Amino acid sequence: MVTVNKNYMKLPGSYLFSTIAKKVNAYQKAHPESRIIRLGIGDVTQPLAPAIIEALHKAVEEMAHAETFRGYAPDLGYEFLRNAIVKNDYKDRGCRIEADEIFVSDGAKSDSGNIQEIFGLDNKVAVCDPVYPVYADTNVMAGRTGDYNSAKENFDGMIYMACREDNGFLPEFPAEVPDLIYLCFPNNPTGCAITKDQLQKWVDYANKNGSVIIYDAAYEAYISQEDVPHSIYECEGARTCAIELRSFSKNAGFTGVRLGFTVIPKELKRDGVSLHSLWARRHGTKFNGAPYIVQRAGEAVYSPEGKTQLKEQVAGYMRNAKVIYEGLKEAGYSVSGGVNAPYIWLKTPKVMTSWDFFDHLLEKANVVGTPGSGFGTHGEGYFRLTAFGTYENTAEAIDRIRKL
Ligand code: MLT
């Protein structure tokens, strides 16, 4: 008799952004005249930069000729891309990372969901609360937690590190020492950042306790403050305790193109085994490489023209962040984030839950955001707006919210 993975049945409802999309589509169907502005999912709106388009065209042309055609990509990704990553993302920032420690993939969402596969099911997992749901849900699917606890509205057996206003939305060392620690900075959803000194404390903690930090740096391009690290490898000792996940989605607009990478230093070992070798085995077996044309597009992100164009793109989104932050603040909302990240985290008006506020904004302002409780219990009473819309839509959305 066929049985199913019953861990999936522990998950309540559908994936957060699928639930939101369904709700918004139903509302739009019932109100076809409404011009809805979507500041919910962190999806980019600016077109790919010219340097990237040019690289894509060139690579497509190469695929049309026998002499330059490419089939399967090398296991870890093309060297031209891995070398560009090493130079620009690591060497230039003073971090020691080698090209064969980079695993090119189709994006950070898949990597952040898949990385748990190389760890035993008996590991204790710690996540921030609120948290990007993928880290928690994939560990539930794998069976690394108990059941959903409807009283607590989270999963038994998972360690939740509360990120609240009173601790600056930063996690504190939990009472029970975790084996796997997921950290995302600049943070999704709160938009807050961690300083290098604060991150160093987590690195020291992980090394002392034998934990592994899975560090999601998908939003590093949005960092504007000097003391905020772009990579965990800027911290002393991170090579022996940290895996880093990177994305091209937000820094280069690849949400629909798909490209990312994972870094696992070779000296990172647990249980006597190199985690690099396990991920290499997994990657080789289950993944056949990001497309050649997309890896060429990724290389263009690091070209001088690409860098200049993307700096402007990021600045455009951060201009939106400022419009949201300042507009809401003036309107009396309590807001945070938006300085080193493209997310603004606001408190819902008194007595409104996150989902109440979602419905209120959708119905009264035709603006879509993301309810904080969708990211965890400590997200209740909060709401996330993304800066990834167009400038015009962002300004109009804030105008509409202010008039409520
Ligand atoms: C988000 O809105 O939190 C992210 O964009 C979703 C994702 O990257 O999967």
Side-chain angles (χ1 to χ4, degrees):
M1 193 184 79
V2 174
T3 59
V4 297
N5 179 350
K6 302 241 170 19
N7 294 312
Y8 277 62
M9 290 151 80
K10 296 176 186 169
L11 294 163
S14 52
Y15 183 60
L16 173 63
F17 294 105
S18 315
T19 308
I20 292 173
K22 270 186 222 140
K23 268 182 165 265
V24 175
N25 291 343
Y27 183 85
Q28 183 76 83
K29 212 166 159 198
H31 303 87
E33 73 294 347
S34 304
R35 202 179 78 72
I36 296 176
I37 298 179
R38 293 165 198 257
L39 303 181
I41 192 164
D43 196 3
V44 294
T45 50
Q46 292 189 44
L48 293 173
I52 293 165
I53 291 293
E54 197 184 311
L56 280 168
H57 281 304
K58 198 165 155 238
V60 166
E61 192 52 35
E62 284 180 55
M63 296 298 265
H65 306 282
E67 320 75 67
T68 45
F69 169 79
R70 313 278 183 130
Y72 292 126
D75 267 9
L76 300 191
Y78 285 100
E79 258 187 43
F80 61 76
L81 176 57
R82 288 185 289 119
N83 289 339
I85 290 170
V86 164
K87 178 178 180 318
N88 293 279
D89 285 328
Y90 296 105
K91 239 188 173 149
D92 290 356
R93 294 200 181 280
C95 309
R96 182 167 67 84
I97 292 294
E98 308 293 333
D100 61 358
E101 294 173 324
I102 310 269
F103 297 80
V104 174
S105 74
D106 64 349
K109 182 175 183 180
S110 349
D111 283 355
S112 62
N114 292 329
I115 195 70
Q116 47 78 27
E117 273 188 35
I118 63 170
F119 297 99
L121 291 184
D122 44 3
N123 283 297
K124 272 268 168 195
V125 179
V127 293
C128 292
D129 179 5
V131 68
Y132 177 48
V134 176
Y135 318 145
D137 287 6
T138 52
N139 277 290
V140 173
M141 288 168 173
R144 226 168 260 111
T145 69
D147 286 332
Y148 184 71
N149 184 325
S150 39
K152 289 189 178 158
E153 296 183 352
N154 60 26
F155 291 93
D156 289 336
M158 178 99 76
I159 300 172
Y160 292 93
M161 303 179 289
C163 298
R164 304 170 308 254
E165 194 179 8
D166 63 21
N167 58 16
F169 300 106
L170 288 178
E172 291 161 25
F173 299 137
E176 182 183 4
V177 174
D179 299 304
L180 304 179
I181 304 165
Y182 285 82
L183 295 179
C184 170
F185 288 106
N187 188 257
N188 178 15
T190 65
C192 82
I194 195 165
T195 65
K196 190 172 160 189
D197 290 349
Q198 287 164 331
L199 186 58
Q200 182 66 55
K201 292 199 174 98
W202 278 98
V203 168
D204 296 343
Y205 174 87
N207 275 325
K208 184 173 130 223
N209 293 301
S211 315
V212 170
I213 298 175
I214 298 167
Y215 192 74
D216 186 345
Y219 299 96
E220 61 80 33
Y222 292 84
I223 292 171
S224 65
Q225 290 176 324
E226 272 295 303
D227 57 349
V228 176
H230 289 250
S231 163
I232 194 165
Y233 302 114
E234 289 177 43
C235 296
E236 201 78 41
R239 287 183 60 85
T240 52
C241 69
I243 291 174
E244 183 161 284
L245 312 173
R246 287 288 192 101
S247 167
F248 286 74
S249 289
K250 324 287 169 158
N251 61 341
F254 278 39
T255 53
V257 178
R258 309 306 309 149
L259 191 67
F261 61 91
T262 286
V263 184
I264 310 190
K266 276 181 259 143
E267 54 259 55
L268 176 48
K269 293 196 175 106
R270 289 297 181 268
D271 211 359
V273 180
S274 140
L275 298 185
H276 181 281
S277 71
L278 294 188
W279 187 244
R281 188 68 175 85
R282 194 243 170 232
H283 209 62
T285 304
K286 293 196 173 182
F287 186 63
N288 245 343
Y292 171 70
I293 56 174
V294 173
Q295 295 197 46
R296 280 292 183 202
E299 183 189 28
V301 166
Y302 300 103
S303 68
E305 307 74 40
K307 280 191 201 168
T308 310
Q309 292 160 10
L310 292 171
K311 220 171 161 184
E312 269 171 41
Q313 204 169 84
V314 165
Y317 289 133
M318 288 313 270
R319 183 170 163 227
N320 293 348
K322 203 164 175 214
V323 167
I324 301 174
Y325 186 97
E326 287 178 357
L328 292 180
K329 212 170 169 88
E330 276 167 29
Y333 286 88
S334 160
V335 278
S336 55
V339 175
N340 294 294
Y343 294 126
I344 280 81
W345 191 238
L346 59 125
K347 264 194 190 162
T348 56
K350 254 192 242 129
V351 304
M352 268 201 210
T353 67
S354 301
W355 277 108
D356 285 346
F357 191 61
F358 173 90
D359 291 333
H360 177 70
L361 277 199
L362 179 60
E363 286 160 22
K364 301 284 184 296
N366 294 161
V367 172
V368 179
T370 309
S373 57
F375 298 102
T377 35
H378 284 93
E380 181 56 279
Y382 286 90
F383 200 75
R384 192 193 78 175
L385 289 174
T386 162
F388 286 124
T390 63
Y391 177 75
E392 293 70 26
N393 278 346
T394 305
E396 186 176 335
I398 298 308
D399 209 43
R400 290 188 199 171
I401 296 174
R402 291 178 64 144
K403 286 188 182 132
L404 284 177

